[in-house]
Amino acid sequence: MAWQFRNDTPIYTQLIAQIQQRIVSGTLLPGERLPSVRDLATEAGVNPNTMQRAMMEMEREELVRSQRTAGRFVTEDEERIQRLRESMARQRVKEFLEGMHLLGFQEDEIVTFVQKEGENHEHSGV
């Protein structure tokens, strides 16, 4: 997954969000060793201090654990990962619903629209 950044949010919070997405999607597995801060920073094209800040925040949230000589690892707490996954999903649904309401859609129209798009997605083979 390529790193993508916007200008409207601090880079370190975007790093956190993208690493969290990798964790909840299973791209990064529970207990998996993460690349070094320097390697991650190089891959993302950011300053190592910025990546370090993101890592420290994820350690504080207990999504990542650090072992002094072995590096950092994704948490093995699958319940924590599942809670994060659900929280991220709720946030995306909330944003989607707010956007649909701004477009003038009512609840029943949104449900119908999503069902139709789901069928189109299913038939497209994506």
Side-chain angles (χ1 to χ4, degrees):
M1 174 162 104
W3 299 89
Q4 298 177 351
F5 301 105
R6 301 179 317 276
N7 293 328
D8 62 345
T9 309
I11 296 294
Y12 87 96
T13 59
Q14 294 180 64
L15 290 167
I16 292 168
Q18 290 181 50
I19 294 168
Q20 287 175 337
Q21 183 173 335
R22 291 176 183 192
I23 292 170
V24 301
S25 70
T27 302
L28 291 171
L29 300 173
E32 182 174 341
R33 185 176 185 279
L34 296 170
S36 71
V37 166
R38 188 163 302 283
D39 288 346
L40 281 171
T42 298
E43 178 188 327
V46 300
N47 185 298
N49 293 331
T50 304
M51 184 61 75
Q52 177 65 22
R53 183 175 181 189
M55 287 289 137
M56 289 175 59
E57 180 64 24
M58 289 192 305
E59 280 184 40
R60 191 184 66 72
E61 294 174 2
E62 299 180 4
L63 291 172
V64 170
R65 63 180 169 78
S66 183
Q67 289 184 342
R68 186 173 291 277
T69 59
R72 286 190 172 90
F73 297 82
V74 174
T75 183
E76 293 177 352
D77 184 344
E78 293 189 26
E79 287 181 30
R80 181 177 298 281
I81 293 170
Q82 185 59 31
R83 285 192 307 270
L84 174 61
R85 184 175 187 243
E86 291 171 3
S87 173
M88 291 173 77
R90 274 192 297 281
Q91 183 60 36
R92 286 189 180 201
V93 168
K94 179 182 174 192
E95 292 167 2
F96 169 76
L97 291 174
E98 288 171 355
M100 293 299 279
H101 285 128
L102 286 173
L103 292 173
F105 282 85
Q106 300 300 315
E107 297 299 325
D108 58 333
E109 293 175 304
I110 295 170
V111 170
T112 300
F113 185 84
V114 168
Q115 287 172 336
K116 286 181 181 176
E117 286 303 307
E119 290 170 6
N120 291 340
H121 183 76
E122 191 175 285
H123 290 93
S124 71
V126 177

